[in-house]
């Protein structure tokens, strides 16, 4: 019975369901670099990323900015309103031309209560997001800069979700990667050149990421330095 439920949930088409006439939502389009919502803005809706890409950023009082997530089509964001948040804890910015569906808080709650398959998918999304936050915190506390960067690149490439040995990632700036990793752009540049020298990544319009980059995450840093003849 549980296996049957999981299969039904996996086959449920969230995008198709949200596009039905019975769901009250607002469709919004943004250009690259446009702010979808600001940090501290009203938290009154859940957004579904229909197409494009979004980065979530937090800016500290001293002006330092951190990128806490990169989102792509098929993901929800801004769901904090359902948990009682009244203001956005992060800003959402379009990485490229982007279309989102905005669903007001009360409408989202209604849909969750009435459509069980949708509710299952949404809960799954929230649990995965919580797991990712825990993994990110562990990464920041215990891993070196090069390991954090390698993990960030693998996450952007959705490593493990496809069988291809290499995947091309749309252009992502070194500033954005630095914000994800918690370092400077110059340090990111050093390690990106290092990964390229080792054959883990290639530049060809976007970034071509080889699954062998996983070695950086799994191996001790001294082994990577030896292979690259890095001081």
């Amino acid at each position: 019975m549980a296996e049957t439920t999981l299969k039904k949930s996996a086959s449920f088409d969230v995008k198709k369901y949200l596009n039905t006439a019975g769901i009250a939502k607002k469709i919004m389009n943004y250009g690259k670099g446009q702010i979808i919502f600001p940090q501290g803005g009203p938290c009154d809706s859940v957004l579904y990323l229909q197409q494009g890409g979004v980065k979530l950023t937090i800016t500290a009082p001293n002006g330092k900015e951190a990128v806490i997530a990169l989102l792509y089509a098929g993901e929800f964001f801004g769901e904090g309103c359902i948990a009682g948040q009244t203001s956005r804890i992060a800003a959402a910015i379009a990485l490229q031309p982007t279309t989102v569906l905005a669903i007001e808080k009360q409408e989202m709650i209604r849909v969750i209560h009435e459509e069980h398959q949708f509710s299952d998918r949404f809960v799954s999304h929230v649990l995965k997001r919580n797991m990712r936050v825990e993994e990110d915190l562990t990464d920041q506390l215990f891993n070196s800069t090069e390991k954090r960067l390698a993990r960030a690149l693998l996450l952007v490439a959705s490593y493990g979700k496809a069988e291809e040995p290499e995947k091309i990632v749309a252009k992502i700036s070194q500033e954005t990667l630095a914000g994800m990793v918690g370092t400077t752009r110059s340090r990111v540049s050093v390690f990106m050149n290092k990964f390229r020298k080792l054959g883990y990544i290639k530049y060809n319009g976007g970034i071509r990421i080889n699954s062998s980059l996983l070695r950086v995450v799994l191996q001790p840093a001294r082994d990577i330095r030896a292979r690259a003849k890095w001081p």
Side-chain angles (χ1 to χ4, degrees):
M1 179 68 71
E3 184 178 354
T4 301
T5 301
L6 286 173
K7 286 181 178 179
K8 287 182 178 179
S9 177
S11 63
F12 182 71
D13 192 333
V14 171
K15 182 177 179 180
K16 182 178 179 180
Y17 179 74
L18 289 176
N19 278 323
T20 61
I23 305 296
K25 74 277 184 182
K26 183 178 180 181
I27 300 176
M28 298 181 291
N29 296 298
Y30 298 90
K32 180 180 179 180
Q34 278 193 287
I35 296 175
I36 296 171
F37 57 71
Q39 181 176 332
C43 188
D44 53 10
S45 62
V46 177
L47 297 99
Y48 177 77
L49 184 48
Q50 195 170 42
Q51 62 181 22
V54 171
K55 68 176 178 179
L56 300 181
T57 67
I58 291 180
T59 303
N62 63 4
K64 186 176 181 180
E65 182 181 283
V67 178
I68 60 173
L70 294 182
L71 309 173
Y72 297 96
E75 297 190 73
F76 291 96
F77 60 107
E79 64 271 20
C81 64
I82 296 177
Q85 287 181 358
T86 57
S87 58
R88 304 290 189 187
I89 62 172
I93 303 168
L95 290 169
Q96 58 200 66
T98 294
T99 301
V100 300
L101 303 179
I103 308 166
E104 290 188 1
K105 174 183 175 180
Q106 293 305 319
E107 174 69 0
M108 188 68 179
I109 292 174
R110 181 191 69 79
V111 174
I112 289 173
H113 285 166
E114 296 181 2
E115 178 52 69
H116 297 301
Q117 285 186 305
F118 176 86
S119 179
D120 288 345
R121 288 292 298 275
F122 184 72
V123 168
S124 175
H125 154 79
V126 172
L127 291 174
K128 288 178 181 177
R129 178 70 62 82
N130 286 343
M131 289 171 59
R132 169 71 185 278
V133 169
E134 291 177 357
E135 291 168 356
D136 287 348
L137 179 58
T138 301
D139 193 40
Q140 286 289 336
L141 290 175
F142 299 110
N143 286 335
S144 64
T145 301
E146 63 181 327
K147 284 191 176 185
R148 297 200 305 272
L149 177 59
R151 177 174 176 270
L153 289 168
L154 289 167
L155 286 171
V156 170
S158 298
Y159 175 77
K161 294 183 180 180
E163 297 179 354
E164 296 87 347
E166 294 186 346
K167 182 171 181 178
I168 297 177
V169 176
K171 285 186 178 180
I172 179 171
S173 71
Q174 292 190 353
E175 287 80 3
T176 295
L177 287 171
M180 293 178 68
V181 173
T183 188
T184 62
R185 191 208 62 78
S186 60
R187 288 287 286 168
V188 167
S189 179
V190 167
F191 288 119
M192 291 290 279
N193 285 330
K194 178 178 179 178
F195 295 160
R196 182 176 55 82
K197 180 179 179 180
L198 289 167
Y200 296 151
I201 64 173
K202 299 175 184 176
Y203 294 104
N204 184 17
I207 303 173
R208 185 181 291 274
I209 298 175
N210 194 299
S211 59
S212 61
L213 180 62
L214 187 62
R215 294 174 185 169
V216 179
V217 178
L218 299 178
Q219 292 183 8
R222 62 179 180 274
D223 294 346
I224 303 299
R225 286 196 294 269
R227 292 191 65 211
K229 297 182 178 180
W230 212 259

